[in-house]
Amino acid sequence: MTRAQRVTLWTGAAVVVVIVISTLTVKKSGHTIYSSNDSAKSSTSTTQMNDMPGMSATSAGVVALTPKQIQQLGVTFGTVALRPLSNEVRTVGTVVVNETRLAKVTPKFGGYVEKLYVNFVGQPVRRGEPLAAIFSPDLLAAEQELLVSARLSRTIGASSVPGVSGSSTDLLAAAKERLRLWDVSDAQIDEVLRTGRPMRTVTLSAPAAGFVIDKKVVQGQSIQAGEELYTIADLSDVWVEAQLREEDAGRVGIGATATLQFTSYPGRPFTGRVTYIDPILGEQARTVKARITVPNSDGRIKPGMYATVVLNSSTQSALTVPRSAVVQTGERALVFVDLGNGRLTAQTVRLGRTSGDLVEVVNGLASGQRVVTSAQFLIYSESTLGEVMKSMIGMRGQGDTMSGMTPAPSSAVDAKGADMRGMPGMSPPPKK
């Protein structure tokens, strides 16, 4: 090995030794500084926690306040009591036509539309009002048969031939029944018999009162038997289809009353009743459709309108607290209970239904207890801070007494670091 190589090797070894000694010295010093700072910080934090205005931590989860501090912090109280709790659900809905009040106009014979009496959508009609005049060759032939049957009935009735019946009412009755099956009215049949001439056209009449919401016919059009010409809707009452969230579906039943508000009529509530609840939950929106029947005698509510719906089912008594008293931490619900003499403790509760400003308490409280209804978030923060600080102080005390964690004296480190003669490859070079 040349002299230059030996010098390089010794220089590298010296650098490694210096780095090792520096690292051990810094770790030792840092441990001492950390312990000192931790003790100082813990002491300072504990002092600040006890000196905070309005709050001093006593036992775990308990905060003590003086009357003056309660006034300064604005702490108010409510009472746990048995109160009536209604199942109120708020949602939105859309007005649709009552399907049970729809009527379709579909003639049972074919022909041609010679005249339209109702010729636009939205036109109001009354029951029995003429809609259209239809010329039908089949009906014309049936009317002629009716006249022949009537004349034959009169002729046979006046006959004195032995063995010939004096009545042919069966033939006349059959001709009338054939026209009735084609929805020809008795008044029209009587008119044909009175005049003795068949009618060129037959008038289609409205089967119900309401509004024409669909029209599929024009004047002069050829129609077939069973073809839909008009759709008439009776809007004296309408349906409002409301969407219930999955968590609200069990709180609303058939017969529940509903209060509805429409933007077209501000300040004027309408009332209705739930008549149907869909048995199937929508998979995408996770909602259940509820149908509300609303009287609409004045026609103010129109299909397509949006409504704000408030559903109220039966009212029951339940143990409740004000909603403002509950602190939701994400994993649990807490209520601060007044223990007397300004002492407050956090109590975990299990909640039930919610109605207005009240919430049901299923478990965790008893009737008559006083609970905090304001500034409870500040109290919760202080009680949590007190527990954390005590935990940190306890951990520091355990850290100071842990065995096996005492750092080696600096002299020992220095001695080991200085003794390089025992290290392989670290013997000093021979003297020249």
Side-chain angles (χ1 to χ4, degrees), residues 222-245:
S222 172
I223 62 173
Q224 302 295 325
E227 184 176 351
E228 181 182 318
L229 304 183
Y230 294 95
T231 301
I232 301 173
D234 182 2
L235 301 180
S236 58
D237 59 47
V238 293
W239 287 347
V240 175
E241 292 186 346
Q243 301 297 328
L244 302 178
R245 297 178 301 172

Side-chain angles (χ1 to χ4, degrees), residues 299-356:
R300 290 177 177 266
I301 306 175
K302 297 173 174 55
M305 284 184 170
Y306 290 105
T308 302
V309 184
V310 179
L311 297 168
N312 293 289
S313 57
S314 59
T315 301
Q316 300 176 351
S317 296
L319 192 66
T320 60
V321 295
R323 293 180 62 180
S324 59
V326 181
V327 178
Q328 296 285 357
T329 65
E331 297 181 352
R332 56 178 179 167
L334 297 177
V335 173
F336 280 91
V337 180
D338 183 16
L339 301 179
N341 298 325
R343 294 181 301 120
L344 308 174
T345 183
Q347 177 66 43
T348 303
V349 295
R350 187 158 60 94
L351 304 178
R353 298 169 296 165
T354 301
S355 176

Side-chain angles (χ1 to χ4, degrees), residues 63-77:
V63 176
L65 303 176
T66 65
K68 182 178 180 181
Q69 293 164 349
I70 291 176
Q71 183 179 4
Q72 290 176 345
L73 294 174
V75 179
T76 58
F77 297 91

Side-chain angles (χ1 to χ4, degrees), residues 173-356:
K176 289 182 178 180
E177 185 63 22
R178 182 181 180 185
L179 291 173
R180 290 191 186 101
L181 292 176
W182 278 343
D183 291 336
V184 179
S185 65
D186 289 338
Q188 291 173 326
I189 295 174
D190 294 339
E191 180 66 17
V192 171
L193 293 175
R194 186 183 64 81
T195 60
R197 292 179 300 179
M199 294 185 299
R200 175 178 172 78
T201 60
V202 174
T203 302
L204 296 180
S205 302
F211 294 86
V212 176
I213 63 173
D214 191 17
K215 170 181 155 306
K216 299 180 179 179
V217 62
V218 295
Q219 189 164 321
Q221 177 181 331
S222 172
I223 62 173
Q224 302 295 325
E227 184 176 351
E228 181 182 318
L229 304 183
Y230 294 95
T231 301
I232 301 173
D234 182 2
L235 301 180
S236 58
D237 59 47
V238 293
W239 287 347
V240 175
E241 292 186 346
Q243 301 297 328
L244 302 178
R245 297 178 301 172
E246 187 174 359
E247 55 267 30
D248 294 332
R251 300 170 57 187
V252 178
I254 296 178
T257 59
T259 303
L260 304 99
Q261 291 281 356
F262 299 91
T263 55
S264 300
Y265 311 106
R268 179 180 176 182
F270 293 79
T271 59
R273 189 171 295 275
V274 177
T275 55
Y276 174 80
I277 297 179
D278 200 329
I280 300 175
L281 178 73
E283 294 183 359
Q284 295 183 350
R286 309 302 299 174
T287 57
V288 175
K289 182 175 67 177
R291 182 181 300 157
I292 305 167
T293 301
V294 184
N296 187 36
S297 58
D298 54 2
R300 290 177 177 266
I301 306 175
K302 297 173 174 55
M305 284 184 170
Y306 290 105
T308 302
V309 184
V310 179
L311 297 168
N312 293 289
S313 57
S314 59
T315 301
Q316 300 176 351
S317 296
L319 192 66
T320 60
V321 295
R323 293 180 62 180
S324 59
V326 181
V327 178
Q328 296 285 357
T329 65
E331 297 181 352
R332 56 178 179 167
L334 297 177
V335 173
F336 280 91
V337 180
D338 183 16
L339 301 179
N341 298 325
R343 294 181 301 120
L344 308 174
T345 183
Q347 177 66 43
T348 303
V349 295
R350 187 158 60 94
L351 304 178
R353 298 169 296 165
T354 301
S355 176

